[in-house]
Amino acid sequence: MPAALAVTGGGIVTAAGRGLDAAWEALCAGRSFLAPDDELAGLFPTQKAIETARCVPPGPELLGADRRAARLMGRHTHMLLAAVSDALDEAGALAEVGRKEAGLSGEEMAFFAGMDSVDPGEADFVSAVQASRVEGGGVDLGRFFNEGMTQIPPLWPLGMLNSTAFCQVAIQFGLRGENGLFSPGAEAAAQAVIEAAESLREGMAGAALAAGVSPAVSVRSVARYLKRGLLKPDGVAALGEGAASLLLEPEGAAGGKPRLGHIRGWGRATAGDEPGDLAEAVRDSAAAALQRAEIGPGRVGLVVVHGGGNVEEDEAEAEGLAAVLGGHRPLALATKGAFGHLLGGGPAVDLLIALRAMAEGAVPPSPGAKNLGGDVLEFPDRTKAARLEAGLVLVRGFDGACAAFAAGPA
């Protein structure tokens, strides 16, 4: 079997709280953090309903960021900072980064992340709006663009570059090795994990962080994903907030460190526009991941599906899986019914949950997943004990981008 990559640290922030324990316990209890967001729904009258699962990230000052940097950070940066901090801390790497005598320097630590678009906050415009008010309480748009906008700091637009958040995290932890930032959507975080794994396989880094973070839920993010087709105008929109990070090390170099599990293989494929193309892309990416890992379909005990809520796309995912599994019916798990669609944060969250399930030898229930998978997968009604030798994590992004990861227990 090809050399596996050890996952020696993991950090996760979801609506369940900070830490993998909080997310795992919530799933085992069958909890869903999605709740109707009437304020947002009122702004989109064609939307049947909008459900959101927001999280409360820790203040950046608690994570060691200085006060000035903390003021510049948005919620997405707070979530990413917490996830990376916890992954490094669990692996004992926080004290090592930057200390050559400890065997790991900042130049040897690669960092790759997937991130969505960054939206401005309403508070960013308060001064400009106040300077543009007219008698009666309205806002004069001419005055806003001619005078009010001068109240906005000239460097403010830089805060909406997702590379700014990426760099803030890298600076905070002294990460100076190979790096890359990908956007948007779930495929961005999948690419981050693949690039991190490839950097280790090619000997370009001693350890690699792979992370992903969702956008903050807002009017702008809902409008953006409605336009992109992720959320259907006549359906229920379910967006969540969260982030996750995995620290990967070559198995031979991880020494005696505890392991959360292993990533053994990965695959990618992109669907065309013809009927059946999405199912074929799911099939090809999953088959490539298992082939790279030299894992036969019959050994797959767990599949973490993408399960985005679009019936047609979820059926295509099941069809693609059926072609790979060849009649084998493994246990399955879907996390979006609990934490919402995390976009750039989703794949890293799902990978950590899959590794935890294999470590625990149990598969928790999946809120809202009754119609996923058909006869291809078994979604337990309650936490079910099982010996899980291998797991498969599926990712579907924008424009037909698909990815899959084959994982194994520690």
Side-chain angles (χ1 to χ4, degrees):
M1 179 177 290
L5 298 175
V7 181
T8 57
I12 184 171
V13 179
T14 66
R18 181 178 175 184
L20 184 53
D21 286 347
W24 176 254
E25 290 167 7
L27 286 171
C28 289
R31 294 187 62 189
S32 172
F33 295 89
L34 287 167
D37 195 319
D38 296 333
E39 182 178 350
L40 282 176
L43 300 173
F44 298 92
T46 61
Q47 193 72 34
K48 183 184 297 183
I50 294 178
E51 295 179 345
T52 58
R54 302 174 190 256
C55 73
V56 182
E61 291 172 317
L62 296 178
L63 299 168
D66 64 65
R67 187 171 299 177
R68 181 174 179 275
R71 287 200 305 269
L72 298 175
M73 294 178 179
R75 288 171 58 82
H76 62 291
T77 312
H78 302 172
M79 292 187 287
L80 183 61
L81 195 64
V84 170
S85 174
D86 290 351
L88 290 171
D89 189 41
E90 182 169 28
L94 271 179
E96 297 177 5
V97 173
R99 288 177 52 205
K100 190 66 180 177
E101 65 274 16
L104 183 67
S105 70
E107 287 79 8
E108 293 171 313
M109 176 75 77
F111 179 35
F112 299 92
M115 191 179 300
D116 290 87
S117 299
V118 180
D119 298 306
E122 293 181 10
D124 297 335
F125 297 107
V126 169
S127 297
V129 170
Q130 290 177 340
S132 310
R133 288 193 180 279
V134 295
E135 187 176 349
V139 174
D140 184 310
L141 290 180
R143 183 181 295 179
F144 177 84
F145 288 109
N146 290 326
E147 302 173 22
M149 287 188 68
T150 62
Q151 303 298 313
I152 300 175
L155 297 181
W156 165 78
L158 295 178
M160 288 186 292
L161 297 176
N162 49 28
S163 57
T164 300
F166 179 75
C167 291
Q168 285 176 326
V169 173
I171 291 169
Q172 180 70 30
F173 297 110
L175 309 174
R176 300 187 295 276
E178 279 207 313
N179 61 85
L181 175 67
F182 307 97
S183 184
E187 72 274 23
Q191 184 68 21
V193 176
I194 292 172
E195 291 294 335
E198 293 286 4
S199 72
L200 297 179
R201 288 285 178 90
E202 295 172 4
M204 302 298 291
L209 276 164
V213 61
S214 74
V217 172
S218 68
V219 174
R220 291 174 179 83
S221 63
V222 171
R224 180 166 60 252
Y225 297 121
L226 278 171
K227 186 175 182 179
R228 293 218 58 168
L230 178 71
L231 311 176
K232 299 302 179 184
D234 58 348
V236 177
L239 282 179
E241 294 178 338
S245 178
L246 302 88
L247 182 62
L248 306 178
E249 298 187 58
E251 176 61 28
K257 291 181 182 178
R259 292 149 173 76
L260 301 181
H262 296 88
I263 292 179
R264 299 188 178 278
W266 51 89
R268 290 173 290 190
T270 302
D273 297 326
E274 298 299 320
D277 284 354
L278 181 57
E280 291 180 3
V282 172
R283 177 200 66 197
D284 292 346
S285 59
L290 293 177
Q291 182 178 17
R292 179 187 288 265
E294 296 183 2
I295 294 174
R299 292 171 55 198
V300 176
L302 169 68
V303 176
V304 180
V305 300
H306 178 82
N310 180 304
V311 175
E312 183 177 326
E313 292 180 356
D314 290 345
E315 289 177 349
E317 184 172 64
E319 181 183 341
L321 267 176
V324 173
L325 297 174
H328 173 57
R329 188 167 182 256
L331 295 171
L333 175 62
T335 64
K336 291 179 178 59
F339 308 128
H341 201 314
L342 301 181
L343 293 132
V349 167
D350 286 350
L351 274 166
L352 285 175
I353 293 295
L355 295 178
R356 183 60 176 267
M358 285 184 280
E360 296 285 345
V363 179
S366 304
K370 292 181 179 179
N371 297 322
L372 289 175
D375 297 329
V376 180
L377 302 168
E378 177 190 348
F379 286 89
D381 293 330
R382 58 183 61 85
T383 301
K384 183 173 182 177
R387 183 176 180 274
L388 303 172
E389 183 181 357
L392 190 62
V393 177
L394 303 181
V395 180
R396 292 201 320 265
F398 292 122
D399 302 321
C402 296
F405 296 93

